[in-house]
Amino acid sequence: MAPRISSSVVSILVLFLTIQSVTIHSRSLGSTKPSLTSFHSLEGALKGQTKDGIKEVKRYLKAFGYLDYEDDDNNAALMDDKFDGTLESALKSYQKFYHLKITRKLDADTVKLMSAPRCRVPDSVHPWHAGRNATKHGKSHIVTDYAFPSGMPRWPPSQTHLSYAFGPIIGEASPSDVSEACRRAFQSWSSVSPFTFEQVPLEDSPNIVIGFYQGDHGDGYPFDGPYNILAHAFPPTNGSLHFDADEHWSTSPSSYQVDLESVAVHEIGHLLGLAHSADQNAVMFAILEEGSMKRDLRQDDINGIHALYPAQ
Ligand SMILES: *[C@@H]1O[C@H](CO)[C@@H](O)[C@H](O)[C@H]1NC(C)=O
Ligand SMILES: *[C@@H]1O[C@H](CO)[C@@H](O)[C@H](O)[C@H]1NC(C)=O
Ligand SMILES: [Zn+2]
Ligand SMILES: [Zn+2]
């Protein structure tokens, strides 16, 4: 009796392991090409062509501030898969911002970058890049890539001590990991700026509120499930920092996980008034590859925060 039971247990187990290995296999495929929205199938597309998925490229470039159809044309153009002139010029701005070769088409480097995990905050592609002209005169030929949102919003000089609190923490991240990652991320910024940060209870009207949300959470910047969009935060003095609760968050990420502290440092940069940097080494670069860590502020980030809050 017992042997018969165990042999059926074994065959169930074998079946289970087979299913498991299929699942694990597709997940490991998922970690090399993780995006729910992957643009790889569009590689080579250029103006004049119509291909399935071009509308997703338009939506992507619109979401990140590159594509500007007139309001009337908006819905129609975003619904079709035609690679039009507006898309071509948006693609050119995108390639320019990221220092890619300006090919005006969906070349391999462009689709790779567009398929990588990134911050939901739009890139600031308007000509106002204070960092760029700040270092170009004089003898210095250092090109800095930091940028600010339009209007250069910042915390008033009287507000250098900012309080923060946590809203909902849901998903794979534990509250203690989130709290520790954020504490260290705030510390990174306070070591290079006039700011100090203090955690307070949520009831104390903190300057900054950090929370985890899923999908459309009511502020016009919906999340998208696992991969692609990781987090976002608003410029001063809004103070909201939102993590996508559906990501595989970690404090020591494996190849398909996302490092909490790296994303926290980046998003706090937005809370203080920095926009995306075009320097791929900078913490303020919009893209963070899965499994990678970028916790330490780089020279470009430090130059950016100093330009925004000059020492008195
Ligand atoms: C950069 O140039 C703009 C426009 O000429 C100017 O208003 C701004 O003050 C400059 N920024 C810096 C940091 O020098
Ligand atoms: C921050 O900005 C978002 C988007 O405009 C808005 O939904 C939210 O209410 C703002 N939060 C605060 C605290 O001002
Ligand atoms: Zn960002
Ligand atoms: Zn949000």
Side-chain angles (χ1 to χ4, degrees):
M1 181 95 185
R4 237 175 287 151
I5 290 169
S6 67
S7 90
S8 67
V9 167
V10 166
S11 57
I12 289 166
L13 190 66
V14 167
L15 181 65
F16 176 73
L17 286 175
T18 312
I19 294 168
Q20 272 293 94
S21 74
V22 170
T23 316
I24 288 163
H25 181 62
S26 64
R27 180 182 256 192
S28 66
L29 270 183
S31 68
T32 51
K33 209 178 142 188
S35 312
L36 288 182
T37 306
S38 163
F39 298 107
H40 290 280
S41 64
L42 290 167
E43 194 177 318
L46 44 80
K47 188 174 156 187
Q49 296 181 334
T50 299
K51 282 193 176 176
D52 274 359
I54 291 288
K55 63 162 114 41
E56 306 302 332
V57 178
K58 293 177 180 174
R59 288 171 189 173
Y60 182 94
L61 290 170
K62 183 169 167 33
F64 296 113
Y66 293 91
L67 194 134
D68 210 9
Y69 287 111
E70 294 297 317
D71 272 346
D72 289 348
D73 302 338
N74 220 345
N75 288 332
L78 289 172
M79 293 305 235
D80 73 43
D81 282 320
K82 191 169 175 348
F83 196 134
D84 57 20
T86 309
L87 174 55
E88 186 189 51
S89 68
L91 204 54
K92 184 188 159 202
S93 314
Y94 181 82
Q95 292 172 333
K96 193 169 168 209
F97 184 85
Y98 283 101
H99 301 325
L100 295 167
K101 200 165 165 223
I102 297 176
T103 60
R104 299 165 191 258
K105 62 179 182 183
L106 288 165
D107 59 70
D109 289 342
T110 305
V111 293
K112 183 164 178 258
L113 203 64
M114 287 177 53
S115 305
R118 63 162 288 157
C119 171
R120 177 61 184 84
V121 173
D123 301 329
S124 295
V125 286
H126 53 82
W128 222 101
H129 281 245
R132 294 206 161 142
N133 57 352
T135 50
K136 266 187 180 161
H137 45 70
K139 271 185 279 181
S140 170
H141 291 285
I142 303 160
V143 177
T144 53
D145 288 315
Y146 61 80
F148 310 116
S150 150
M152 221 171 152
R154 55 192 135 183
W155 294 89
S158 59
Q159 264 184 301
T160 52
H161 184 70
L162 302 178
S163 55
Y164 70 93
F166 293 98
I169 300 179
I170 54 166
E172 287 179 19
S174 79
S176 62
D177 283 352
V178 172
S179 154
E180 178 59 12
C182 291
R183 190 189 64 74
R184 292 163 57 106
F186 280 121
Q187 179 58 41
S188 296
W189 284 108
S190 71
S191 68
V192 299
S193 75
F195 292 100
T196 52
F197 302 94
E198 182 192 3
Q199 189 181 341
V200 300
L202 191 55
E203 307 77 64
D204 290 5
S205 324
N207 301 113
I208 293 167
V209 179
I210 300 164
F212 284 67
Y213 298 89
Q214 290 177 296
D216 191 347
H217 53 285
D219 59 14
Y221 295 86
F223 288 137
D224 60 349
Y227 311 120
N228 291 80
I229 308 292
L230 306 175
H232 71 132
F234 295 98
T237 52
N238 176 297
S240 300
L241 193 174
H242 297 164
F243 289 95
D244 185 345
D246 287 327
E247 300 304 331
H248 302 298
W249 295 108
S250 173
T251 53
S252 54
S254 67
S255 63
Y256 68 93
Q257 293 176 315
V258 189
D259 185 48
L260 262 173
E261 186 179 335
S262 302
V263 175
V265 185
H266 176 100
E267 298 304 331
I268 294 166
H270 288 313
L271 293 178
L272 296 178
L274 291 173
H276 287 145
S277 172
D279 178 352
Q280 60 176 343
N281 296 312
V283 161
M284 293 315 294
F285 193 64
I287 288 138
L288 182 74
E289 298 292 344
E290 259 118 1
S292 68
M293 294 204 276
K294 202 193 266 181
R295 298 176 173 180
D296 298 326
L297 296 172
R298 307 297 164 88
Q299 197 57 49
D300 183 69
D301 303 305
I302 296 168
N303 292 346
I305 199 74
H306 287 173
L308 193 55
Y309 301 97
Q312 295 305 307

